[in-house]
Each structure stands twice: as C-alpha cells, then as structure tokens.
Amino acid sequence: MQAVKNCGLCASGSFLKGRTDFLLARRNMAVLRMSAACVQLLKHKTSVLCNSSVHQRILQRLPNVARSNAVPFSVGTGLCAVPFTQQVENLSHESLIRRASCLVTDSANTYLSQTTLALVDALTQYAKALHTLISLQKRYIASIGKLSPVEEDSIWQVIIGQRVEVSDRLEECKRFESNWMNAINICELSAEAAYNSGAEHACTATKTNLQVAQSKVEEIRKISKEAEKKLAETKAEEIQRMAEYASSIDIHDLEDVPEAYLRED
C-alpha cells in the first residue's frame, strides 16, 4: 500500500509539474503573439503616416533647401524623411577677427598698389627730366665759345627751367615715397595680423604684393640713380671745360660768362 501511495504521489507531482510547464509555455506564446501584434501595428502606422496625403502636403510646404537636405531613415518596412536645416555659419570671435583681418589686408594691398604706381610714375618722370637736363648741358658744353651772348643766354634760360623741373620732380618723388613707405608698413602689419588670426592665404598674398612692389620701385630707383650719376659727371665735365675756356681768354672777357652757369646747384 505504501508503494501504491508513493506511486500516486509521484504521478500527482509529475502531473502538477507538467501542468505548470504547460501554463508557462502558453503564457510565453501569448507574450510572443502580443509582441508580434505590436510590431505589426507599428509597421502599419508607420506606413500609413509616411504615405498619407497629410504628410505629403507637409513635405510640399517645406522650403526647397530643407527638402533637398532631407535625411531618409527606415522604420520597419516604411521609409520616412525628416528634413534638417543647414548648419548655421560660424560666428565665433575667431571667425569674425579672421574676416576683419582679411578686409584689412585687402585695403592695405589697394593702398600699396596705388602708392607704388604713383611712386614709380614719379621716379620715371624724374629720370626723364634728368636725362633732358643732361642733354641740354652736353649741348652747351660742346658750344662753349661758339655762341653769341644772346644765344648763350637763351640756352641758359632753357637749362635753368629744366633744373627747376628736375627739382619739382624730385620733391614729388619724396612726397610719394613717404606715402609708399606708409603703405609698406601697413601691409607688413596687416600680414602679421592675418597670420595671427589664421588667415594664412591673405597673409601670403600680402607678402607677395610687398615683394612685387619693392622690386618695381627698386628697379626704377636704379634708373634714376644712374641718371643722377650721369648728371654729376656732366657737371664736372662742364666745370672743367669752362675752366679751360676761361684760361684761354682774357680775364675781362669773363664778364660775359652767364651768372646762372657760375652758380652751383
């Protein structure tokens, strides 16, 4: 009897355990079905939302830029588009300083260009005036003792007028050179400011313009310096020729020598 009872208890325990496992399995299946239903419902709602006429009208009202920058993403089997605006331009202090430094370099380059053009033109006109004066004085040297007092006075009036023009041209060169040196200093400072603010391109362009301007001015300066050297040589030759001519004539004839010639420049 005891064995029968034990068998009955074992059978009862096995039955209860099996029933419990069965109930757990059913509950799990129910949970799975509910999850599947939720997923299916989500897919359906997403598809309806993306394909609805209301959504289409909303998209049509969006700006063209926003619609062209729409980012697609998928939820389940549906495809939706969420527009986003472009990134706002950086307006930090560093960016504003960099912009300002670029504007400064542009203005400095313009100022350098104008002053360089003015100085080069002034130096060119100065060199031309020097060469004209050299030519006049050489003609006079060649005609010493051959001209009448009237002719000699006439040519000396021309020489004196040309000397005045040379002096005016030289003053003009000095004035434009002062402006040009200011432009050089401003460009150097603006290039340094552009470099410190991160505008390397503006800094490089300004330094290149500086080199070009200095090269042009130095080239025309050499021409004017050579003309000044030739003028000094001509004056020395003129003094020597006049001394030779004075020694060959009577001392009383020196009164006929024009006063403008005897004056030193």
Side-chain angles (χ1 to χ4, degrees):
M1 291 296 293
Q2 187 67 29
V4 173
K5 289 180 179 180
N6 292 334
C7 290
L9 291 173
C10 290
S12 177
S14 298
F15 174 76
L16 291 174
K17 183 179 180 182
R19 183 174 179 80
T20 301
D21 293 340
F22 176 73
L23 292 175
L24 289 173
R26 289 191 63 182
R27 187 177 66 181
N28 292 336
M29 289 298 296
V31 172
L32 289 174
R33 290 192 186 97
M34 185 177 294
S35 299
C38 290
V39 172
Q40 187 66 27
L41 179 61
L42 179 61
K43 291 180 179 181
H44 177 70
K45 292 296 184 181
T46 303
S47 179
V48 170
L49 178 62
C50 295
N51 296 322
S52 64
S53 59
V54 176
H55 181 70
Q56 295 295 331
R57 287 197 299 270
I58 292 174
L59 279 179
Q60 290 176 357
R61 294 176 184 176
L62 292 175
N64 294 330
V65 175
R67 285 191 292 168
S68 63
N69 292 318
V71 178
F73 70 95
S74 60
V75 179
T77 58
L79 183 64
C80 296
V82 177
F84 71 95
T85 57
Q86 295 180 345
Q87 184 178 1
V88 180
E89 189 177 0
N90 186 12
L91 296 178
S92 63
H93 292 302
E94 290 78 5
S95 177
L96 294 175
I97 292 174
R98 186 163 52 252
R99 283 187 176 187
S101 65
C102 290
L103 293 176
V104 170
T105 55
D106 289 341
S107 299
N109 288 330
T110 302
Y111 183 39
L112 177 63
S113 176
Q114 294 299 326
T115 54
T116 301
L117 180 63
L119 179 57
V120 168
D121 184 64
L123 288 171
T124 301
Q125 297 301 322
Y126 173 62
K128 288 182 178 179
L130 286 174
H131 283 291
T132 301
L133 180 57
I134 292 170
S135 177
L136 289 173
Q137 293 197 176
K138 284 187 175 181
R139 289 177 59 185
Y140 176 74
I141 293 172
S143 61
I144 289 178
K146 302 177 181 179
L147 300 175
S148 65
V150 176
E151 293 174 339
E152 192 171 3
D153 182 69
S154 176
I155 193 171
W156 267 108
Q157 291 299 324
V158 176
I159 291 175
I160 292 172
Q162 189 61 32
R163 285 179 177 177
V164 172
E165 182 177 355
V166 168
S167 179
D168 293 341
R169 295 295 184 182
L170 181 60
E171 290 298 323
E172 187 179 37
C173 289
K174 292 179 179 179
R175 185 173 67 255
F176 285 129
E177 186 173 9
S178 177
N179 293 329
W180 183 75
M181 290 301 300
N182 291 333
I184 291 292
N185 295 331
I186 291 174
C187 283
E188 289 177 348
L189 291 175
S190 65
E192 182 179 357
Y195 179 79
N196 293 333
S197 65
E200 289 83 2
H201 178 72
C203 175
T204 302
T206 303
K207 288 184 176 180
T208 301
N209 292 335
L210 277 170
Q211 293 176 355
V212 173
Q214 290 172 340
S215 177
K216 288 183 177 180
V217 171
E218 186 63 26
E219 181 180 357
I220 194 65
R221 272 179 177 171
K222 289 181 179 180
I223 297 176
S224 62
K225 292 295 182 182
E226 291 177 357
E228 289 176 348
K229 183 179 178 181
K230 289 182 179 179
L231 178 61
E233 293 174 352
T234 303
K235 286 183 177 181
E237 181 182 357
E238 183 180 351
I239 293 173
Q240 182 181 0
R241 180 71 182 86
M242 191 60 192
E244 294 175 353
Y245 174 70
S247 64
S248 64
I249 60 175
D250 187 73
I251 189 65
H252 298 288
D253 296 333
L254 290 176
E255 296 178 358
D256 297 332
V257 177
E259 182 181 358
Y261 178 79
L262 297 176
R263 186 181 62 186
E264 294 183 358
D265 297 329

